[in-house]
Amino acid sequence: MAVALRLSKPSSPLPCHPLAPSLLCYSQLFSSLQRRTASPLRCRCSKKKETSFTDQLLDYIEGGPKLRKWYGAPDLLPKDGGLENEDESSEIDEVRDAVLVTDGESEIGQMVILSLILKRARIKALVKDKRAAIDAFGIYVETIVGDLNDKTFLTNALRGVRAIICASNDGFFSDIGRTKGAQHIVLLSQLAFYRGSSGIQAVMNSKARKLAERDEETVIASGIPYTIIRAGLLQDSPGGKQGFSFLKGAAAKGRLSKEDAAAVCVEALDSLPEEGVIFEVVNGEEKVRDWKEKFAELLGTVEG
């Protein structure tokens, strides 16, 4: 006699960890999958429904493909595996609920995307290789390829975007017009570290320092609420293993895991400042249990 088992949906949304989720769950999987390929974005799926990198990640963390729907994944991919092009002439007002990641192909950009996926956010990402990005992230991410100097392309890229996360010096903020319509900008900056360098290191970092200064100045002048996260030297060490330090001056000599940096960027989305906030962060002793409380504390320190 055959027995049929019926799986019901959870009665409430899946819980999020305080550092959800990259710091607690996917560090080892991300590293192991990354070693198998030149880049996570180079993962190729076979025609027999082989799971993508992101699906493997969600299966590993949450216990199986049945829970992918809770992260916004539809039943089927488009037949060509791609995303339908937006109607450029459309004038329909969209709800601004998407997060734009400006460099979706950088290592830390991919970490930001993975954290956003597990928070079930609507994601748009600027990439150079759309096919590779789709193979890696499937339809969890709306990948966008184009020339940032093209106003039409930029308008479409920002359509429906409420927040922008820039985790690398990718040149996105070379034009203040690229922030039009956004309601929150989160910038990961290493300016404090570059300013704290000396000798030959200062010479080597001079170009990166100028780019970081330009990005911060553009974001501050945009008139859009901003969160500038001044990190210490970014490291390839696993996230979630250490605490944090937010002391002023810590970023000049301290270090921060890239996974931790990506997680802080994503957590910052839930705390919108009235004007803007700038703070430093490195790995340290402080364990953050509630990021909303921590950002409220940081905002209070700035305003005070």
Side-chain angles (χ1 to χ4, degrees):
M1 179 178 66
V3 179
L5 296 178
R6 183 176 180 181
L7 295 176
S8 60
K9 291 185 177 180
S11 58
S12 59
L14 295 176
C16 292
H17 296 290
L19 281 177
S22 64
L23 305 190
L24 298 176
C25 301
Y26 69 60
S27 174
Q28 294 181 349
L29 180 63
F30 183 90
S31 299
S32 64
L33 288 178
Q34 192 175 39
R35 286 194 296 270
R36 295 179 199 173
T37 58
S39 166
L41 286 183
R42 296 296 175 184
C43 298
R44 292 287 179 180
C45 298
S46 69
K47 294 182 179 179
K48 295 185 177 181
K49 295 183 179 180
E50 181 179 337
T51 55
S52 69
F53 168 76
T54 305
D55 285 340
Q56 292 177 54
L57 181 65
L58 295 178
D59 293 349
Y60 176 83
I61 295 173
E62 299 297 348
K66 67 180 180 296
L67 290 180
R68 290 185 206 152
K69 278 180 174 288
W70 291 92
Y71 296 94
D75 291 328
L76 297 172
L77 282 166
K79 291 183 179 180
D80 62 355
L83 298 175
E84 295 182 0
N85 294 326
E86 292 185 6
D87 181 4
E88 295 182 1
S89 62
S90 175
E91 296 181 357
I92 299 176
D93 292 332
E94 289 187 318
V95 175
R96 288 190 172 275
D97 59 355
V99 179
L100 176 66
V101 180
T102 64
D103 187 0
E105 288 180 327
S106 68
E107 182 181 12
I108 195 164
Q110 293 168 46
M111 292 177 181
V112 168
I113 289 173
L114 291 172
S115 288
L116 288 169
I117 289 172
L118 291 169
K119 273 189 169 288
R120 297 161 61 183
R122 179 188 168 201
I123 309 163
K124 302 179 80 172
L126 298 178
V127 299
K128 295 178 181 178
D129 189 336
K130 186 170 184 175
R131 179 68 255 181
I134 292 172
D135 284 348
F137 297 114
I139 33 60
Y140 297 96
V141 179
E142 182 180 347
T143 53
I144 309 169
V145 180
D147 183 1
L148 286 175
N149 296 315
D150 184 334
K151 292 185 177 180
T152 300
F153 164 74
L154 190 60
T155 298
N156 289 330
L158 291 172
R159 181 173 290 144
V161 171
R162 71 172 177 88
I164 299 171
I165 295 182
C166 181
S168 61
N169 293 331
D170 57 6
F172 182 81
F173 293 117
S174 62
D175 183 349
I176 196 170
R178 293 176 182 173
T179 62
K180 183 179 180 182
Q183 301 166 3
H184 189 191
I185 298 173
V186 177
L187 173 65
L188 180 64
S189 171
Q190 287 192 272
L191 182 57
F193 171 75
Y194 296 143
R195 285 177 174 171
S197 60
S198 58
I200 187 64
Q201 188 179 52
V203 176
M204 294 173 62
N205 291 336
S206 60
K207 183 177 180 180
R209 174 177 173 169
K210 291 178 180 178
L211 290 174
E213 288 175 339
R214 180 205 63 193
D215 286 351
E216 287 200 14
E217 290 171 358
T218 302
V219 168
I220 293 171
S222 68
I224 298 170
Y226 61 85
T227 301
I228 296 177
I229 302 166
R230 288 181 175 171
L233 179 63
L234 295 176
Q235 299 284 290
D236 289 323
S237 56
K241 302 295 184 181
Q242 307 175 67
F244 297 90
S245 172
F246 301 90
L247 296 176
K248 187 174 182 180
K253 301 299 181 182
R255 301 183 178 191
L256 181 65
S257 160
K258 290 179 181 178
E259 290 182 8
D260 286 347
V264 174
C265 288
V266 173
E267 294 295 341
L269 294 174
D270 294 329
S271 300
L272 181 66
E274 289 187 10
E275 294 184 5
V277 60
I278 302 175
F279 64 89
E280 297 183 31
V281 60
V282 296
N283 285 127
E285 299 299 323
E286 180 181 349
K287 298 295 184 180
V288 179
R289 303 299 180 187
D290 189 321
W291 278 99
K292 287 187 178 180
E293 287 186 3
K294 186 61 192 181
F295 277 107
E297 177 188 327
L298 293 169
L299 286 168
T301 301
V302 172
E303 293 172 358

